[in-house]
Amino acid sequence: MKKFYLLLSCCLISFLSFSQTSKNGLAIIPEPVNTIIKKGQFILPKHVVIEAGATDDIKPVTAYLKNKLTTSTGVLVTVKNSSSTPATIKLSLNKKPDTALGKEGYHLLVSTKGVIIRANEPAGLFYGVQTLVQLFPKEIESQEVVHHVSWTAPCVDIKDYPRFAWRGLMLDVARHFFTKEEVKQYIDQMVRYKFNLLHMHLTDDEGWRIEIKSLPRLTTVGAYNVKKIGEFGSFTPPAADEPRTYGGFYTQDDIRELVQYAKDRFVNIMPEVDVPGHSLAAVASYPELSCTPGAENYKTRSGEHMMNFSKGSITALVDNTLNPSSEKTYAFLDKVLTEVAQLFPFGYVHMGGDECAKNFWAQSDSVKALMQKEGLKNMEEVQSYFEKRVEKIVESKGKKFMGWDEIIEGGLGPKAAVMSWRGIQGGITAAKLGHEVVMSPTTFAYLDYMQSDRVMEPHVYETLRLNRTYEFEPVPDSVDAKLILGGQANLWTEQVFNIRQVEYMTWPRGMAIAEAVWSPKNKKNWNDFYPRVEKQFPRLDEAEIKYAPSVYDPSFNASMSADSLLKIELTNEIPGLDIYYSFDNSYPDRFYPKYTEPLVAPKDATQLRVITYRGKQPVGRMITMPIAELKSRIERRNRRGQ
Ligand code: ACM
């Protein structure tokens, strides 16, 4: 009887997942506000006429669309700005604004006769184009012309606009440097899913990545360290004679080029200068910024162990902070911000503020004197003093000040905006004090976390699977929603050594974040989302964008039974998959035993191998799980008392 119910529920699950995949045949991410499917199909003709207004601000949209169509379909595309000949695709700015659409919304009409996109602003037209692209076959994503494809799109009437104005991704270009061309590649990827903000983490202990003309050592010295490959955080300390040639930086011309490239795709770039902690590259370049004697011997970090994090306390082995009690620090930041503010038109400058180790401040006579003079009771108040002074400098350059949620601790500056990363509590506190907030909590939005089991991923201290990412909700119940500007996901790159891994870490979790910040809250539904993600995979394959297939990897949960047998439970993230396994060191396929209930490891087994299938198709990766690894997880858990 149990088996019968199991069979019935399996049938139901596969029926449900099938019917959801084919709900309306579309797989748009992020899900639009309102989609009506019409009868019929639009067939892309051999000669496409795009009609758009003559204004300069639409040109990036038409250029983007023309490039997209010609690259993959090979059709001839003509752009014109009058209605003398009938248009195939018409991009039209509303004369009278459609208030529901706002600045970034659009109305996309695809009929058998042609395509019309209407919007109040060019950004809306751009997002309409992104949705249109997702209606065409996957080959539209190809980097070269694909023949023998029926270039059709279903007829639809879509009205769509974002839930939040701040839809961000953060790329850490400091831990590892990514070239200008790679950053452009990342921007191209983010706009597919309607992100509009790239937060560049430009400075850290490992490197200073932006040319500051008045402070040349920041890049001649601060932009380079020793190349190390392996597991970041535990690299051997570099020897004195190892070449410091690894890294790089963006010249001011590079930055201007990136800002323009992003602008043409309706993306703002927010610079982050991370101070007062995470500042070893600055201190190695200008040791007078440190309150610690001997800083002239400091070098940029090359991934060696440098910080100790224990509950409630952070200590550094070398002083990677700026001296909060020295006027030289504020003069330095004034110079940096003068140039940064001129380079980035975006309204906010992010000044970091996270994870500032204060053990060297506590030993400094100069910091103690500052505390006495200013009546500062503890190190959090010292940081708050620093942050408030930096806020004034940022504002003096005509920008708004933003920082990680640590800036709340010793008292928040008058107009500081907060990016909440240690969960959402910092964001709640700041919003309750009337401050602007962007939510980017580790719990849902940290793209550096592992996506699958630890045996499958470069090691980071936490795991964040796609289904958990999808639960990201930027607005807590208890706060004024107007103060939540939006949300973003952060990709720290300690363990990310190249751009392909940047892509792998970002997709598909970036799609889950995109839906959290664009789509209406009541449209979010995991069972509807994951089939759309699966339909995006072949599109990313066409575009040759790397993504993680981790959604097909099961989770492992091991326990020890009373009679000392190792029990292993496997859980799939999405339904409708079968797991096949072996304990005999061979590679399982679908003719091996199928997982139906928790496994008991044979006494002498050394490893469990698993692979997931959908029907006859292997979809998951071959995972080899050492039995010793599972046993040590149990021991660790027992030690922690869980
Ligand atoms: C952070 O993740 N340290 C902001």
Side-chain angles (χ1 to χ4, degrees):
M1 200 58 180
K2 211 165 127 200
K3 277 215 170 105
F4 171 75
Y5 281 121
L6 202 71
L7 196 71
L8 193 72
S9 56
C10 283
C11 290
L12 207 68
I13 285 167
S14 30
F15 167 75
L16 278 176
S17 56
F18 172 77
S19 62
Q20 277 148 359
T21 308
S22 60
K23 188 187 73 179
N24 56 18
L26 307 184
I28 300 165
I29 294 181
E31 177 70 26
V33 173
N34 192 17
T35 304
I36 302 168
I37 311 272
K38 304 267 178 148
K39 272 215 188 87
Q41 300 228 306
F42 164 72
I43 300 169
L44 194 73
K46 289 265 179 302
H47 181 190
V48 171
V49 179
I50 300 176
E51 182 192 320
T55 55
D56 273 356
D57 50 0
I58 302 190
K59 279 192 184 142
V61 185
T62 45
Y64 184 96
L65 178 58
K66 179 175 177 175
N67 181 49
K68 195 86 196 164
L69 292 175
T70 49
T71 304
S72 53
T73 71
V75 298
L76 175 70
V77 177
T78 315
V79 179
K80 57 166 201 143
N81 52 35
S82 76
S83 48
S84 50
T85 48
T88 325
I89 302 175
K90 185 170 169 181
L91 307 179
S92 170
L93 285 178
N94 293 325
K95 291 202 177 66
K96 187 166 160 290
D98 177 341
T99 48
L101 298 184
K103 286 181 189 313
E104 296 181 294
Y106 62 91
H107 184 185
L108 167 66
L109 276 160
V110 179
S111 72
T112 52
K113 296 197 191 70
V115 176
I116 302 174
I117 306 175
R118 292 201 183 92
N120 298 331
E121 310 251 350
L125 296 178
F126 186 69
Y127 295 126
V129 164
Q130 294 301 337
T131 299
L132 175 65
V133 169
Q134 290 197 30
L135 295 175
F136 281 109
K138 64 179 172 29
E139 290 84 359
I140 192 102
E141 304 295 355
S142 170
Q143 298 298 321
E144 60 239 24
V145 173
V146 191
H147 301 284
H148 314 300
V149 175
S150 163
W151 295 108
T152 61
C155 294
V156 291
D157 181 338
I158 295 178
K159 269 202 168 183
D160 196 16
Y161 48 86
R163 183 171 168 211
F164 295 102
W166 189 296
R167 303 184 302 279
L169 288 180
M170 187 216 73
L171 181 61
D172 170 6
V173 294
R175 266 48 177 276
H176 284 101
F177 178 64
F178 299 96
T179 64
K180 178 178 66 178
E181 292 312 319
E182 288 169 339
V183 175
K184 287 182 184 172
Q185 200 174 315
Y186 200 58
I187 292 170
D188 280 332
Q189 293 175 19
M190 54 192 278
V191 297
R192 294 161 168 271
Y193 302 109
K194 304 188 176 83
F195 284 101
N196 66 355
L197 183 100
L198 175 66
H199 167 173
M200 290 179 81
H201 180 75
L202 287 166
T203 72
D204 215 299
D205 300 322
E206 293 74 13
W208 183 284
R209 305 296 180 205
I210 175 169
E211 177 188 29
I212 302 295
K213 288 190 193 282
S214 58
L215 295 160
R217 286 177 61 82
L218 285 174
T219 42
T220 53
V221 174
Y224 299 96
N225 61 2
V226 177
K227 180 169 182 166
K228 301 268 177 179
I229 302 283
E231 203 155 306
F232 183 99
S234 59
F235 291 140
T236 48
D241 61 350
E242 280 188 89
R244 296 194 151 264
T245 50
Y246 184 60
F249 66 94
Y250 310 106
T251 65
Q252 296 205 347
D253 280 345
D254 288 340
I255 295 284
R256 279 186 276 271
E257 191 179 321
L258 278 175
V259 165
Q260 185 60 43
Y261 191 86
K263 181 167 182 267
D264 287 346
R265 287 152 185 79
F266 302 90
V267 168
N268 283 306
I269 300 185
M270 176 173 70
E272 180 189 348
V273 175
D274 196 355
V275 289
H278 287 277
S279 292
L280 189 58
V283 172
S285 310
Y286 293 99
E288 62 271 28
L289 298 172
S290 175
C291 66
T292 298
E296 51 290 347
N297 298 321
Y298 284 175
K299 302 266 190 277
T300 50
R301 184 186 184 199
S302 303
E304 64 275 22
H305 177 62
M306 201 185 87
M307 307 283 285
N308 286 322
F309 295 88
S310 64
K311 271 216 163 71
S313 115
I314 302 175
T315 48
L317 307 182
V318 296
D319 186 3
N320 64 339
T321 66
L322 303 186
N323 180 358
S325 61
S326 167
E327 287 309 309
K328 285 185 189 152
T329 294
Y330 302 103
F332 164 82
L333 288 172
D334 193 285
K335 282 185 181 172
V336 169
L337 285 164
T338 301
E339 298 188 35
V340 166
Q342 279 167 10
L343 286 167
F344 295 92
F346 189 54
Y348 294 78
V349 176
H350 196 304
M351 295 303 297
D354 59 319
E355 299 178 322
C356 178
K358 298 172 177 101
N359 48 311
F360 287 93
W361 289 2
Q363 290 168 23
S364 159
D365 288 342
S366 156
V367 174
K368 284 181 202 155
L370 174 79
M371 292 174 78
Q372 195 138 41
K373 179 165 161 255
E374 298 291 333
L376 307 172
K377 291 190 285 302
N378 53 41
M379 287 301 152
E380 284 65 43
E381 291 192 8
V382 174
Q383 180 167 349
S384 170
Y385 166 86
F386 171 89
E387 301 295 350
K388 286 174 186 157
R389 289 206 53 182
V390 177
E391 179 174 344
K392 280 204 186 114
I393 302 174
V394 170
E395 284 169 1
S396 76
K397 312 298 170 201
K399 299 290 182 186
K400 293 194 201 174
F401 170 92
M402 179 174 277
W404 299 110
D405 58 64
E406 283 92 334
I407 66 170
I408 303 170
E409 284 171 356
L412 204 46
K415 293 200 207 130
V418 171
M419 190 167 269
S420 188
W421 74 279
R422 296 175 301 176
I424 57 171
Q425 190 50 50
I428 294 174
T429 305
K432 288 203 165 148
L433 293 167
H435 291 254
E436 291 178 334
V437 168
V438 173
M439 289 292 191
S440 63
T442 52
T443 31
F444 301 101
Y446 260 42
L447 300 181
D448 58 326
Y449 284 9
M450 300 177 291
Q451 310 177 65
S452 173
D453 192 279
R454 193 175 163 79
V455 296
M456 296 301 285
E457 305 280 337
H459 293 168
V460 186
Y461 42 93
E462 279 291 350
T463 301
L464 176 66
R465 297 193 65 123
L466 179 65
N467 55 358
R468 176 94 172 134
T469 313
Y470 193 64
E471 288 171 22
F472 179 38
E473 166 49 44
V475 183
D477 288 339
S478 55
V479 304
D480 177 0
K482 281 201 292 300
L483 289 167
I484 310 294
L485 305 179
Q488 74 173 42
N490 300 331
L491 180 53
W492 302 101
T493 60
E494 286 97 328
Q495 310 289 5
V496 179
F497 290 71
N498 62 63
I499 188 69
R500 294 297 284 176
Q501 186 67 4
V502 166
E503 296 174 358
Y504 174 94
M505 298 304 280
T506 305
W507 314 114
R509 289 181 299 185
M511 298 179 202
I513 300 294
E515 197 138 314
V517 290
W518 179 283
S519 305
K521 189 175 168 184
N522 65 6
K523 286 249 161 172
K524 279 187 63 188
N525 177 338
W526 169 251
N527 286 327
D528 183 73
F529 176 68
Y530 78 78
R532 283 184 284 124
V533 170
E534 289 196 270
K535 284 196 173 176
Q536 292 286 328
F537 286 163
R539 303 183 77 86
L540 296 183
D541 288 335
E542 286 290 338
E544 297 192 278
I545 295 171
K546 196 168 186 181
Y547 56 90
S550 316
V551 71
Y552 299 121
D553 295 345
S555 298
F556 294 72
N557 185 21
S559 57
M560 209 54 94
S561 70
D563 41 0
S564 291
L565 294 172
L566 179 68
K567 258 177 77 182
I568 308 159
E569 205 177 330
L570 304 175
T571 321
N572 275 331
E573 201 170 336
I574 57 178
L577 303 181
D578 298 316
I579 307 171
Y580 297 92
Y581 67 92
S582 79
F583 279 110
D584 61 9
N585 306 333
S586 64
Y587 291 92
D589 60 19
R590 73 182 191 89
F591 298 93
Y592 273 60
K594 189 197 285 194
Y595 177 87
T596 53
E597 58 184 2
L599 306 172
V600 176
K603 188 162 156 284
D604 294 319
T606 58
Q607 58 190 18
L608 165 66
R609 280 207 169 107
V610 305
I611 185 164
T612 52
Y613 273 66
R614 177 178 279 130
K616 292 185 176 181
Q617 206 54 42
V619 287
R621 297 179 286 194
M622 184 69 71
I623 304 181
T624 302
M625 174 61 77
I627 296 296
E629 166 70 17
L630 293 177
K631 286 185 175 162
S632 79
R633 287 181 192 182
I634 296 173
E635 277 162 24
R636 276 203 301 277
R637 212 166 53 212
N638 289 344
R639 274 202 300 277
R640 289 199 307 263
Q642 288 169 338

